Amino acid sequence: MCRQVFGFRLAMIAVASPAALLNASPGLGVRLVGAAVVVTFMGSYALFRDWERFGPLLLRHPSLLAVDTLFGALLLISAGPDTTLAYVSVCTPLLAGIVYGWRGAAFFASLQGLILLLVHATLGPDEDVAESLLLPGLCVITGAVGSTLRNLMLGFGEATEALSATRARLAVTEAVGAERAELARELHDTVAKTLHGVALAAEALVATASNPSPDPATLRAQADLIARSARRAAAESRELLTDLRRVAGEQDDAAEVDVAGELAARVAEFAERAALKVTYEAHPAETAVPMPRPRARHLLTIVTEALDNAARHAEARHVRVRSETSLDGLRVLISDDGRGLPLGTTVEALRHSGHFGLLGMTERAAFLGGTLTLGPGDDGPGTAVRLEVPLGAGEGQGSRC
């Protein structure tokens, strides 16, 4: 805004300078007026072009504006109060109000008004009083306008800073919430699940040891299972801690893996350790599906969680996994012949009851930009989990996994 005021001054000085030079007395008068034209024009041009550099100097030294006012008075006297140069005088109190506030506006409006009254009294004594007071009155008005604009801009600046600070706090809060949700998912899908298996194996060991004649081979097998599960929990905990400590960009998230092959291997691993029948179908068969490693990890975790739920909670005897690859995405169906979900089951209700598995699956599907639906099985009772994921980059690609 200060730059615009100086731009208006430049235009008015350029228009009125010829009249000021013509009306100046020959000799010393012309030289003084010429010097005043050069000083005021160059000063206005410097501030107009490079306000960021010279503006702080004007802010620290109000006397510079007073000197500029005196040079402008010299031009005003030479050109006369009836020329366009007289309207340049209203720029001074306007600029003072913007730069210095109401005190500066009052001082420079009074100074400029006094100069105008003196010029009118000297060069135009026969003028009407109303005409003589017109420009001094405009100086007072523009000074008040400049001060008001300053207050409005300062208030707007404070509001903008407060809004920026609020947005920054909200961004931090959202980032912390997202990090906590991610950590909760990882804990549920790795360490918590393994520790639950350790607890079940320990209970089985206690029950076996409580028999009057326990089988040593069974005891050894159960103890070995507890040891292996405990080592697995420790490894998962260490992997999670390493992942949390990893520096951003250290992990090669751009590397791609064949998610179809990984999915077949994950189902085969589940079939080996589960006490139920597992079948897997891929359409088209043996087709590689490249996917960035972070996205592949989320997809495989969803499938693993669905398989574990079928084995632990559904009391199923047969689990079928079917994957279909098309141009627009990958669809995976995990269905079982278990007891199915209770009527009215929702993800929010499961979250409040402490069952976070389905909630984590839903969040991972949203991370992938896909959808996850749960419903009854296709062949009667049981549960069917349908996952549809686009093969392009989803919204969460690139975050830490």
Side-chain angles (χ1 to χ4, degrees):
M1 187 170 292
C2 292
R3 182 181 283 113
Q4 293 175 355
V5 174
F6 281 110
F8 176 75
R9 284 192 59 181
L10 282 172
M12 291 297 100
I13 293 173
V15 171
S17 293
L21 292 172
L22 289 175
N23 293 334
S25 58
L28 181 61
V30 173
R31 287 193 291 270
L32 289 176
V33 173
V37 169
V38 172
V39 171
T40 54
F41 187 87
M42 294 305 297
S44 299
Y45 178 75
L47 289 165
F48 171 76
R49 181 175 180 179
D50 200 358
W51 170 259
E52 290 77 8
R53 180 180 178 184
F54 297 107
L57 187 63
L58 187 64
L59 289 173
R60 292 193 300 267
H61 302 286
S63 57
L64 295 176
L65 188 59
V67 173
D68 178 80
T69 304
L70 296 178
F71 278 99
L74 182 60
L75 291 178
L76 185 62
I77 293 172
S78 301
D82 297 329
T83 61
T84 55
L85 187 63
Y87 292 94
V88 180
S89 59
V90 301
C91 296
T92 301
L94 175 61
L95 184 64
I98 295 174
V99 176
Y100 305 121
W102 67 269
R103 291 185 177 86
F107 174 79
F108 282 96
S110 302
L111 177 62
Q112 194 67 65
L114 180 60
I115 292 174
L116 288 169
L117 289 175
L118 291 175
V119 172
H120 277 284
T122 304
L123 302 179
D126 298 332
E127 290 185 357
D128 186 34
V129 176
E131 294 181 0
S132 301
L133 296 178
L134 177 61
L135 285 177
L138 285 177
C139 289
V140 174
I141 293 173
T142 55
V145 170
S147 177
T148 302
L149 289 176
R150 172 187 171 88
N151 293 333
L152 289 175
M153 288 187 292
L154 290 177
F156 179 76
E158 292 176 357
T160 302
E161 290 180 359
L163 180 61
S164 300
T166 301
R167 287 178 175 175
R169 288 195 295 269
L170 289 176
V172 171
T173 302
E174 291 177 359
V176 171
E179 195 74 14
R180 292 179 61 183
E182 183 179 359
L183 181 58
R185 288 194 300 268
E186 297 298 333
L187 286 174
H188 175 273
D189 296 336
T190 56
V191 181
K193 187 180 298 183
T194 305
L195 290 178
H196 179 73
V198 172
L200 293 179
E203 291 175 357
L205 178 61
V206 171
T208 302
S210 299
N211 292 331
S213 301
D215 182 15
T218 303
L219 291 175
R220 283 193 299 270
Q222 292 175 340
D224 181 66
L225 176 61
I226 294 175
R228 286 188 286 107
S229 299
R231 285 193 296 269
R232 180 180 177 185
E236 291 171 342
S237 300
R238 188 171 187 83
E239 180 182 355
L240 181 59
L241 290 175
T242 303
D243 192 49
L244 290 173
R245 292 288 187 181
R246 181 177 290 114
V247 180
E250 188 177 78
Q251 185 178 7
D252 186 12
D253 290 345
E256 292 188 342
V257 298
D258 178 15
V259 71
E262 293 288 338
L263 181 60
R266 189 67 61 95
V267 174
E269 178 187 357
F270 173 79
E272 291 180 0
R273 59 184 173 85
L276 47 84
K277 181 181 178 182
V278 181
T279 58
Y280 175 70
E281 301 176 7
H283 299 275
E286 299 181 358
T287 299
V289 182
M291 183 177 291
R293 189 178 301 277
R295 291 171 55 78
R297 178 177 178 181
H298 281 289
L299 188 146
L300 295 173
T301 303
I302 293 173
V303 174
T304 302
E305 179 67 19
L307 292 173
D308 288 339
N309 288 339
R312 292 168 51 188
H313 306 299
E315 299 179 357
R317 293 171 298 176
H318 184 200
V319 179
R320 296 172 55 189
V321 181
R322 177 186 177 91
S323 66
E324 296 182 1
T325 305
S326 61
L327 294 177
D328 57 345
L330 175 67
R331 288 178 289 274
V332 182
L333 173 65
I334 306 99
S335 59
D336 61 65
D337 59 354
R339 58 184 180 181
L341 292 172
L343 294 177
T345 299
T346 62
V347 175
E348 189 66 19
L350 291 172
R351 184 177 71 85
H352 287 298
S353 61
H355 299 281
F356 300 106
L358 289 179
L359 176 62
M361 293 166 64
T362 304
E363 291 175 345
R364 292 181 187 275
F367 175 92
L368 295 171
T371 59
L372 181 74
T373 57
L374 286 80
D378 296 333
D379 301 327
T383 303
V385 179
R386 296 174 177 85
L387 174 64
E388 297 185 9
V389 177
L391 292 181
E395 65 181 43
Q397 183 177 351
S399 68
R400 182 184 60 78
C401 294

